[in-house]
Amino acid sequence: MVEAAQITRYERVKQILNRAAAGANADYDGHPEFWNLPLPEFLDVEIYGIRMIAPAPAEAEPPASSCCHHTTPATKRSAQSGLIKGLRGAAPFDGNQYPRLMWGGKIVSHDDISFIAEWIDDGCPVEDHQITFPVEGTIKTSKETVEATNVEAAARTFDIYDSPNEYAYKHGELKQRMNLDCMSATEIEKFRWAFRQLYNLNKWPEDRRSYNNMALIHQNHCQHGWERFLPWHRIYLYEFEQTLQDVCPGVTMPYWDFTMPQYCPERPENGEIIPRSYKAYLTNESLEFLEKAEPPLPAAAIQELRKGMVEEHKHYPSQQTFFNAVASLTEKKYTVGKHRERFIDALLASNSLWYPLRYPSEFGSGTMNTVIRYHYPTAADIDQILSLRTFRDFGGGSFYDDSFGFLDQNPHNTMHIWTGGENPTPETDQTPVGYATRRDLALTRNTSVRVAGRRPHSRDDLYSQPTNGDMFSNLTASFDPIFWPIHANIDRLWHEWQTRNPHALPLDLDAVLTPWSYTIADTLNMARFGYEYVKCAFVIPVGIEAPVGRFVSKPIGLPEAVRSSFEQAEVRLHRVPQLPRSCFIRVFLNLPDANASTSIEDAHYAGYLAIFGHADCIGGPGHCDLPPGQPRKYDQRPRHHNTPRNHRVNVTKTAKRLIDEGATSLQITLVVIGADYCEENDLLRLNSVSLDFLD
């Protein structure tokens, strides 16, 4: 620091950025220290397609408008500038796509960011001496040389991203359909939110994106009992998932593995009945609604429900179990008539995955298993089905050999009946709009469903009490949200069977799956539809712009459902570019201090991968630069030779051993070993690391 002197604001901007970048070696997409370029070049710099200084208002395009949305006023130039977004850690510099600026350097203070923003909004002047600043010693950035023994200084600890599919979506990777019971609370809530958006579209009957219209596709076109069953439902799931992603891009369709231990497949009446995320529950907001509803629930009843349900985090698989609990905590009169309807309103608002017309496992005075000895699918059943060798046996016969496949019969049909159930208290009175009596609706809903003029998600419909739940009938099943994770699991089982029997195919591969234009042949590789199945996954964003040195993740907490039943665990390195030198990358679990001298005999060593080095570039400027994430619209050339790749390391053995020894979390350490068998701290670049568990 030297004495105060008169300098320009532009010089001050460069001082701030130089100080923050001191000691870093990021090259910013081929523009190292881009702020030190001549001002005209600085103003035009783009980093991975993001302009650091937004165009001046005269250059900027007018804000977009559409038939459904009015034009919005333009925001300030600084707010549109990638530099300000990056310094503030705003998207896409929030760790999802790129890390916060400065890469490898220090975070810029709020006051300094505001100063740079004001300079941009004032037109980026170069010769204004209006303000006096203390002149600080400018420190030029230079590439840091890290000795092989300097392990601790090169180590970085990375946070876990809470939504792997949103991260995959931003980078164009396969999104993951996860085990419903292994998803985080954040992932489940995003899934619920997406369903609410489709329900809201029911107000526009002609909107094909509405939940009602998506459900009617199954009612009008579904295929069962032959070889089109599996291909048709794979497309139906995909089309519905795409509609969900139109409103929430990171959402995928989870699967319900109904053979997991908590469902007690051998004695299912003693298990969870259905996934917890699909059960009915009340919240404090629900109680506030009920207290002000018409008719209102008395304060004494509210207090009992708060203590007995909300504070205890109670979840109920059906209306019957919920209202029995309400009656025991308050009075039975609050479980009938208008009070019952208000409770249904509250339950639907708290959980969009709960459905009133669902009576899972219930049958008369007991459960299906206690009354009729229902055969709930077990793990042994699934193993037997997966051992079948022909598509006719597994998935169904052809047009010339009509036959139900075993997977279609059980577990598919079995789970429809289990989740639909029989209503213990079917409706006998009250009249909804459009029907002679409510009892008529209840008695005919599953046997002769009315399509014309019917409103499946109107409240009058959901207040009714039909004889059986909607999942009990092919004509109403898809109106129940639980339809989707059951079918996702059926699709997952088909995929697993395909990996065992890649040459066992349906007969009529050219058959068109109406109402779409896909053929059966189009459905055979599910990866072309952009998804894979995993039990659960955890993503740690890194950022490809600068070497990471030795990588250490924060501990990743594992749900009990994951720890107790996964088949395989993988550490994946995502979007690794061609590296200039060959290396080994060793993976350790729960050993954050691992380094080049740590023995591979150590119990925490989990595996390694080898990378073949690219060596020096043989071309001219730009020859080996990373290709753009999105090619030009009509660029039909094969993908660039330097396109980043993914790497996978199977860490199952070590992960299982650590968990068996009591570990409830796993921490990933990557150690990069060069050709000289010394640790490399300035070599590895990658977009992210993930820990993936598979069934």
mmCIF file of all heavy atoms in Angstrom, residues 292-328:
data_model
loop_
_atom_site.group_PDB
_atom_site.id
_atom_site.type_symbol
_atom_site.label_atom_id
_atom_site.label_comp_id
_atom_site.label_asym_id
_atom_site.label_seq_id
_atom_site.Cartn_x
_atom_site.Cartn_y
_atom_site.Cartn_z
ATOM 1 N N LYS A 292 -59.228 -21.834 10.013
ATOM 2 C CA LYS A 292 -59.977 -20.748 9.377
ATOM 3 C C LYS A 292 -60.957 -21.254 8.329
ATOM 4 O O LYS A 292 -61.604 -20.460 7.652
ATOM 5 C CB LYS A 292 -58.985 -19.774 8.722
ATOM 6 C CG LYS A 292 -58.011 -19.140 9.697
ATOM 7 C CD LYS A 292 -56.964 -18.304 8.961
ATOM 8 C CE LYS A 292 -55.936 -17.732 9.925
ATOM 9 N NZ LYS A 292 -54.874 -16.971 9.217
ATOM 10 N N ALA A 293 -61.038 -22.563 8.156
ATOM 11 C CA ALA A 293 -61.887 -23.136 7.106
ATOM 12 C C ALA A 293 -63.359 -22.980 7.453
ATOM 13 O O ALA A 293 -63.735 -22.535 8.542
ATOM 14 C CB ALA A 293 -61.529 -24.607 6.901
ATOM 15 N N GLU A 294 -64.196 -23.365 6.516
ATOM 16 C CA GLU A 294 -65.641 -23.356 6.732
ATOM 17 C C GLU A 294 -66.170 -24.773 6.506
ATOM 18 O O GLU A 294 -66.179 -25.254 5.379
ATOM 19 C CB GLU A 294 -66.314 -22.371 5.770
ATOM 20 C CG GLU A 294 -67.812 -22.234 5.981
ATOM 21 C CD GLU A 294 -68.156 -21.806 7.395
ATOM 22 O OE1 GLU A 294 -67.505 -20.875 7.910
ATOM 23 O OE2 GLU A 294 -69.080 -22.413 7.966
ATOM 24 N N PRO A 295 -66.558 -25.493 7.572
ATOM 25 C CA PRO A 295 -66.591 -25.036 8.963
ATOM 26 C C PRO A 295 -65.198 -25.080 9.604
ATOM 27 O O PRO A 295 -64.385 -25.938 9.242
ATOM 28 C CB PRO A 295 -67.521 -26.054 9.620
ATOM 29 C CG PRO A 295 -67.321 -27.301 8.804
ATOM 30 C CD PRO A 295 -67.102 -26.852 7.405
ATOM 31 N N PRO A 296 -64.935 -24.197 10.571
ATOM 32 C CA PRO A 296 -63.617 -24.179 11.212
ATOM 33 C C PRO A 296 -63.455 -25.334 12.188
ATOM 34 O O PRO A 296 -64.426 -25.840 12.751
ATOM 35 C CB PRO A 296 -63.605 -22.827 11.930
ATOM 36 C CG PRO A 296 -65.044 -22.541 12.212
ATOM 37 C CD PRO A 296 -65.819 -23.131 11.065
ATOM 38 N N LEU A 297 -62.214 -25.724 12.387
ATOM 39 C CA LEU A 297 -61.899 -26.746 13.388
ATOM 40 C C LEU A 297 -61.583 -26.031 14.701
ATOM 41 O O LEU A 297 -60.808 -25.072 14.705
ATOM 42 C CB LEU A 297 -60.693 -27.573 12.915
ATOM 43 C CG LEU A 297 -60.569 -29.013 13.419
ATOM 44 C CD1 LEU A 297 -61.786 -29.840 13.023
ATOM 45 C CD2 LEU A 297 -59.303 -29.649 12.886
ATOM 46 N N PRO A 298 -62.170 -26.453 15.817
ATOM 47 C CA PRO A 298 -61.950 -25.758 17.096
ATOM 48 C C PRO A 298 -60.482 -25.758 17.510
ATOM 49 O O PRO A 298 -59.706 -26.654 17.150
ATOM 50 C CB PRO A 298 -62.803 -26.562 18.089
ATOM 51 C CG PRO A 298 -63.800 -27.272 17.253
ATOM 52 C CD PRO A 298 -63.125 -27.557 15.935
ATOM 53 N N ALA A 299 -60.112 -24.759 18.299
ATOM 54 C CA ALA A 299 -58.723 -24.608 18.744
ATOM 55 C C ALA A 299 -58.238 -25.823 19.513
ATOM 56 O O ALA A 299 -57.073 -26.235 19.395
ATOM 57 C CB ALA A 299 -58.586 -23.346 19.593
ATOM 58 N N ALA A 300 -59.120 -26.435 20.312
ATOM 59 C CA ALA A 300 -58.712 -27.610 21.094
ATOM 60 C C ALA A 300 -58.347 -28.775 20.174
ATOM 61 O O ALA A 300 -57.364 -29.490 20.407
ATOM 62 C CB ALA A 300 -59.838 -28.014 22.043
ATOM 63 N N ALA A 301 -59.144 -28.958 19.107
ATOM 64 C CA ALA A 301 -58.840 -30.025 18.154
ATOM 65 C C ALA A 301 -57.544 -29.732 17.410
ATOM 66 O O ALA A 301 -56.727 -30.640 17.175
ATOM 67 C CB ALA A 301 -59.998 -30.186 17.169
ATOM 68 N N ILE A 302 -57.338 -28.470 17.049
ATOM 69 C CA ILE A 302 -56.095 -28.074 16.372
ATOM 70 C C ILE A 302 -54.895 -28.415 17.244
ATOM 71 O O ILE A 302 -53.876 -28.959 16.764
ATOM 72 C CB ILE A 302 -56.119 -26.571 16.054
ATOM 73 C CG1 ILE A 302 -57.185 -26.249 15.003
ATOM 74 C CG2 ILE A 302 -54.739 -26.084 15.603
ATOM 75 C CD1 ILE A 302 -56.899 -26.758 13.620
ATOM 76 N N GLN A 303 -54.996 -28.102 18.519
ATOM 77 C CA GLN A 303 -53.870 -28.355 19.421
ATOM 78 C C GLN A 303 -53.564 -29.846 19.519
ATOM 79 O O GLN A 303 -52.400 -30.255 19.519
ATOM 80 C CB GLN A 303 -54.184 -27.783 20.811
ATOM 81 C CG GLN A 303 -53.041 -27.884 21.796
ATOM 82 C CD GLN A 303 -51.790 -27.141 21.350
ATOM 83 O OE1 GLN A 303 -51.858 -26.205 20.552
ATOM 84 N NE2 GLN A 303 -50.637 -27.554 21.850
ATOM 85 N N GLU A 304 -54.606 -30.677 19.587
ATOM 86 C CA GLU A 304 -54.391 -32.125 19.673
ATOM 87 C C GLU A 304 -53.750 -32.666 18.396
ATOM 88 O O GLU A 304 -52.878 -33.533 18.443
ATOM 89 C CB GLU A 304 -55.718 -32.831 19.946
ATOM 90 C CG GLU A 304 -56.285 -32.592 21.337
ATOM 91 C CD GLU A 304 -55.328 -33.028 22.433
ATOM 92 O OE1 GLU A 304 -54.699 -34.096 22.297
ATOM 93 O OE2 GLU A 304 -55.200 -32.289 23.425
ATOM 94 N N LEU A 305 -54.187 -32.160 17.259
ATOM 95 C CA LEU A 305 -53.604 -32.603 15.991
ATOM 96 C C LEU A 305 -52.158 -32.154 15.858
ATOM 97 O O LEU A 305 -51.318 -32.873 15.300
ATOM 98 C CB LEU A 305 -54.435 -32.072 14.824
ATOM 99 C CG LEU A 305 -55.861 -32.621 14.697
ATOM 100 C CD1 LEU A 305 -56.617 -31.899 13.593
ATOM 101 C CD2 LEU A 305 -55.846 -34.121 14.434
ATOM 102 N N ARG A 306 -51.867 -30.955 16.376
ATOM 103 C CA ARG A 306 -50.484 -30.474 16.318
ATOM 104 C C ARG A 306 -49.570 -31.385 17.136
ATOM 105 O O ARG A 306 -48.487 -31.779 16.690
ATOM 106 C CB ARG A 306 -50.401 -29.028 16.827
ATOM 107 C CG ARG A 306 -48.961 -28.482 16.821
ATOM 108 C CD ARG A 306 -48.898 -27.004 17.148
ATOM 109 N NE ARG A 306 -49.292 -26.183 16.008
ATOM 110 C CZ ARG A 306 -50.426 -25.499 15.928
ATOM 111 N NH1 ARG A 306 -51.287 -25.528 16.945
ATOM 112 N NH2 ARG A 306 -50.714 -24.795 14.859
ATOM 113 N N LYS A 307 -50.006 -31.728 18.347
ATOM 114 C CA LYS A 307 -49.179 -32.579 19.214
ATOM 115 C C LYS A 307 -49.118 -34.014 18.698
ATOM 116 O O LYS A 307 -48.052 -34.635 18.706
ATOM 117 C CB LYS A 307 -49.739 -32.563 20.639
ATOM 118 C CG LYS A 307 -49.529 -31.258 21.385
ATOM 119 C CD LYS A 307 -49.882 -31.394 22.860
ATOM 120 C CE LYS A 307 -51.357 -31.759 23.045
ATOM 121 N NZ LYS A 307 -51.718 -31.805 24.503
ATOM 122 N N GLY A 308 -50.267 -34.539 18.256
ATOM 123 C CA GLY A 308 -50.323 -35.954 17.907
ATOM 124 C C GLY A 308 -49.921 -36.294 16.498
ATOM 125 O O GLY A 308 -49.564 -37.448 16.208
ATOM 126 N N MET A 309 -49.948 -35.313 15.588
ATOM 127 C CA MET A 309 -49.618 -35.589 14.187
ATOM 128 C C MET A 309 -48.422 -34.785 13.696
ATOM 129 O O MET A 309 -47.430 -35.349 13.232
ATOM 130 C CB MET A 309 -50.836 -35.301 13.295
ATOM 131 C CG MET A 309 -51.952 -36.308 13.398
ATOM 132 S SD MET A 309 -53.221 -35.996 12.134
ATOM 133 C CE MET A 309 -54.304 -37.391 12.389
ATOM 134 N N VAL A 310 -48.523 -33.455 13.774
ATOM 135 C CA VAL A 310 -47.490 -32.600 13.173
ATOM 136 C C VAL A 310 -46.165 -32.754 13.900
ATOM 137 O O VAL A 310 -45.120 -32.993 13.279
ATOM 138 C CB VAL A 310 -47.952 -31.132 13.153
ATOM 139 C CG1 VAL A 310 -46.851 -30.239 12.600
ATOM 140 C CG2 VAL A 310 -49.226 -30.982 12.323
ATOM 141 N N GLU A 311 -46.188 -32.598 15.221
ATOM 142 C CA GLU A 311 -44.932 -32.677 15.982
ATOM 143 C C GLU A 311 -44.352 -34.077 15.994
ATOM 144 O O GLU A 311 -43.145 -34.253 16.167
ATOM 145 C CB GLU A 311 -45.165 -32.167 17.408
ATOM 146 C CG GLU A 311 -45.506 -30.676 17.459
ATOM 147 C CD GLU A 311 -45.800 -30.186 18.868
ATOM 148 O OE1 GLU A 311 -45.736 -31.018 19.812
ATOM 149 O OE2 GLU A 311 -46.096 -28.988 19.027
ATOM 150 N N GLU A 312 -45.198 -35.078 15.804
ATOM 151 C CA GLU A 312 -44.732 -36.474 15.757
ATOM 152 C C GLU A 312 -44.365 -36.911 14.344
ATOM 153 O O GLU A 312 -43.933 -38.049 14.133
ATOM 154 C CB GLU A 312 -45.814 -37.398 16.316
ATOM 155 C CG GLU A 312 -46.120 -37.193 17.785
ATOM 156 C CD GLU A 312 -44.954 -37.587 18.672
ATOM 157 O OE1 GLU A 312 -44.234 -38.537 18.314
ATOM 158 O OE2 GLU A 312 -44.765 -36.945 19.722
ATOM 159 N N HIS A 313 -44.571 -36.019 13.351
ATOM 160 C CA HIS A 313 -44.262 -36.312 11.945
ATOM 161 C C HIS A 313 -44.944 -37.597 11.474
ATOM 162 O O HIS A 313 -44.335 -38.448 10.821
ATOM 163 C CB HIS A 313 -42.751 -36.424 11.742
ATOM 164 C CG HIS A 313 -41.986 -35.227 12.192
ATOM 165 N ND1 HIS A 313 -42.014 -34.023 11.518
ATOM 166 C CD2 HIS A 313 -41.179 -35.029 13.280
ATOM 167 C CE1 HIS A 313 -41.262 -33.150 12.148
ATOM 168 N NE2 HIS A 313 -40.753 -33.720 13.215
ATOM 169 N N LYS A 314 -46.218 -37.732 11.812
ATOM 170 C CA LYS A 314 -46.966 -38.935 11.444
ATOM 171 C C LYS A 314 -47.392 -38.880 9.974
ATOM 172 O O LYS A 314 -47.823 -37.846 9.478
ATOM 173 C CB LYS A 314 -48.197 -39.076 12.332
ATOM 174 C CG LYS A 314 -47.885 -39.383 13.794
ATOM 175 C CD LYS A 314 -47.271 -40.762 13.917
ATOM 176 C CE LYS A 314 -46.983 -41.141 15.365
ATOM 177 N NZ LYS A 314 -48.203 -41.297 16.169
ATOM 178 N N HIS A 315 -47.277 -40.028 9.308
ATOM 179 C CA HIS A 315 -47.696 -40.187 7.920
ATOM 180 C C HIS A 315 -48.666 -41.370 7.837
ATOM 181 O O HIS A 315 -48.469 -42.382 8.529
ATOM 182 C CB HIS A 315 -46.498 -40.443 7.005
ATOM 183 C CG HIS A 315 -45.651 -39.236 6.766
ATOM 184 N ND1 HIS A 315 -45.071 -38.509 7.781
ATOM 185 C CD2 HIS A 315 -45.267 -38.621 5.603
ATOM 186 C CE1 HIS A 315 -44.385 -37.499 7.264
ATOM 187 N NE2 HIS A 315 -44.479 -37.549 5.954
ATOM 188 N N TYR A 316 -49.663 -41.250 6.952
ATOM 189 C CA TYR A 316 -50.727 -42.244 6.886
ATOM 190 C C TYR A 316 -50.918 -42.702 5.446
ATOM 191 O O TYR A 316 -51.042 -41.881 4.537
ATOM 192 C CB TYR A 316 -52.032 -41.653 7.424
ATOM 193 C CG TYR A 316 -51.887 -41.123 8.834
ATOM 194 C CD1 TYR A 316 -51.518 -39.790 9.056
ATOM 195 C CD2 TYR A 316 -52.084 -41.944 9.936
ATOM 196 C CE1 TYR A 316 -51.356 -39.302 10.341
ATOM 197 C CE2 TYR A 316 -51.931 -41.463 11.231
ATOM 198 C CZ TYR A 316 -51.559 -40.143 11.424
ATOM 199 O OH TYR A 316 -51.394 -39.664 12.700
ATOM 200 N N PRO A 317 -50.984 -44.036 5.222
ATOM 201 C CA PRO A 317 -51.064 -44.536 3.841
ATOM 202 C C PRO A 317 -52.410 -44.319 3.172
ATOM 203 O O PRO A 317 -52.498 -44.385 1.950
ATOM 204 C CB PRO A 317 -50.760 -46.028 3.995
ATOM 205 C CG PRO A 317 -51.098 -46.351 5.407
ATOM 206 C CD PRO A 317 -50.803 -45.125 6.195
ATOM 207 N N SER A 318 -53.479 -44.061 3.927
ATOM 208 C CA SER A 318 -54.799 -43.953 3.303
ATOM 209 C C SER A 318 -55.693 -43.007 4.094
ATOM 210 O O SER A 318 -55.393 -42.633 5.234
ATOM 211 C CB SER A 318 -55.467 -45.335 3.238
ATOM 212 O OG SER A 318 -55.786 -45.779 4.555
ATOM 213 N N GLN A 319 -56.824 -42.661 3.480
ATOM 214 C CA GLN A 319 -57.840 -41.876 4.197
ATOM 215 C C GLN A 319 -58.273 -42.592 5.468
ATOM 216 O O GLN A 319 -58.426 -41.959 6.526
ATOM 217 C CB GLN A 319 -59.069 -41.685 3.307
ATOM 218 C CG GLN A 319 -58.956 -40.644 2.236
ATOM 219 C CD GLN A 319 -60.327 -40.297 1.675
ATOM 220 O OE1 GLN A 319 -61.219 -39.896 2.428
ATOM 221 N NE2 GLN A 319 -60.497 -40.455 0.365
ATOM 222 N N GLN A 320 -58.515 -43.877 5.380
ATOM 223 C CA GLN A 320 -59.029 -44.628 6.519
ATOM 224 C C GLN A 320 -58.101 -44.524 7.719
ATOM 225 O O GLN A 320 -58.538 -44.228 8.841
ATOM 226 C CB GLN A 320 -59.216 -46.102 6.119
ATOM 227 C CG GLN A 320 -59.746 -47.009 7.220
ATOM 228 C CD GLN A 320 -61.245 -46.878 7.402
ATOM 229 O OE1 GLN A 320 -61.877 -46.010 6.794
ATOM 230 N NE2 GLN A 320 -61.818 -47.730 8.236
ATOM 231 N N THR A 321 -56.810 -44.754 7.501
ATOM 232 C CA THR A 321 -55.872 -44.691 8.625
ATOM 233 C C THR A 321 -55.742 -43.268 9.148
ATOM 234 O O THR A 321 -55.612 -43.049 10.361
ATOM 235 C CB THR A 321 -54.497 -45.230 8.201
ATOM 236 O OG1 THR A 321 -54.047 -44.537 7.020
ATOM 237 C CG2 THR A 321 -54.560 -46.718 7.899
ATOM 238 N N PHE A 322 -55.797 -42.285 8.251
ATOM 239 C CA PHE A 322 -55.696 -40.888 8.685
ATOM 240 C C PHE A 322 -56.905 -40.485 9.526
ATOM 241 O O PHE A 322 -56.761 -39.943 10.629
ATOM 242 C CB PHE A 322 -55.563 -39.964 7.480
ATOM 243 C CG PHE A 322 -55.629 -38.504 7.836
ATOM 244 C CD1 PHE A 322 -54.528 -37.849 8.369
ATOM 245 C CD2 PHE A 322 -56.813 -37.787 7.660
ATOM 246 C CE1 PHE A 322 -54.593 -36.507 8.716
ATOM 247 C CE2 PHE A 322 -56.886 -36.448 8.000
ATOM 248 C CZ PHE A 322 -55.772 -35.806 8.536
ATOM 249 N N PHE A 323 -58.115 -40.749 9.020
ATOM 250 C CA PHE A 323 -59.308 -40.300 9.742
ATOM 251 C C PHE A 323 -59.543 -41.106 11.020
ATOM 252 O O PHE A 323 -60.129 -40.590 11.981
ATOM 253 C CB PHE A 323 -60.526 -40.331 8.826
ATOM 254 C CG PHE A 323 -60.552 -39.177 7.854
ATOM 255 C CD1 PHE A 323 -60.410 -39.388 6.496
ATOM 256 C CD2 PHE A 323 -60.682 -37.872 8.312
ATOM 257 C CE1 PHE A 323 -60.413 -38.320 5.604
ATOM 258 C CE2 PHE A 323 -60.679 -36.799 7.431
ATOM 259 C CZ PHE A 323 -60.545 -37.024 6.076
ATOM 260 N N ASN A 324 -59.078 -42.338 11.073
ATOM 261 C CA ASN A 324 -59.122 -43.071 12.341
ATOM 262 C C ASN A 324 -58.262 -42.370 13.386
ATOM 263 O O ASN A 324 -58.641 -42.278 14.562
ATOM 264 C CB ASN A 324 -58.646 -44.511 12.146
ATOM 265 C CG ASN A 324 -59.678 -45.377 11.450
ATOM 266 O OD1 ASN A 324 -60.851 -45.002 11.332
ATOM 267 N ND2 ASN A 324 -59.248 -46.532 10.974
ATOM 268 N N ALA A 325 -57.088 -41.865 12.942
ATOM 269 C CA ALA A 325 -56.213 -41.147 13.869
ATOM 270 C C ALA A 325 -56.827 -39.826 14.300
ATOM 271 O O ALA A 325 -56.727 -39.429 15.469
ATOM 272 C CB ALA A 325 -54.850 -40.917 13.216
ATOM 273 N N VAL A 326 -57.471 -39.123 13.360
ATOM 274 C CA VAL A 326 -58.136 -37.863 13.709
ATOM 275 C C VAL A 326 -59.222 -38.110 14.747
ATOM 276 O O VAL A 326 -59.349 -37.369 15.742
ATOM 277 C CB VAL A 326 -58.738 -37.197 12.450
ATOM 278 C CG1 VAL A 326 -59.622 -36.015 12.840
ATOM 279 C CG2 VAL A 326 -57.634 -36.743 11.514
ATOM 280 N N ALA A 327 -60.011 -39.161 14.539
ATOM 281 C CA ALA A 327 -61.096 -39.474 15.481
ATOM 282 C C ALA A 327 -60.555 -39.787 16.869
ATOM 283 O O ALA A 327 -61.147 -39.388 17.885
ATOM 284 C CB ALA A 327 -61.920 -40.646 14.949
ATOM 285 N N SER A 328 -59.427 -40.491 16.931
ATOM 286 C CA SER A 328 -58.868 -40.847 18.238
ATOM 287 C C SER A 328 -58.264 -39.641 18.949
ATOM 288 O O SER A 328 -58.241 -39.597 20.181
ATOM 289 C CB SER A 328 -57.811 -41.945 18.078
ATOM 290 O OG SER A 328 -56.674 -41.449 17.385
#
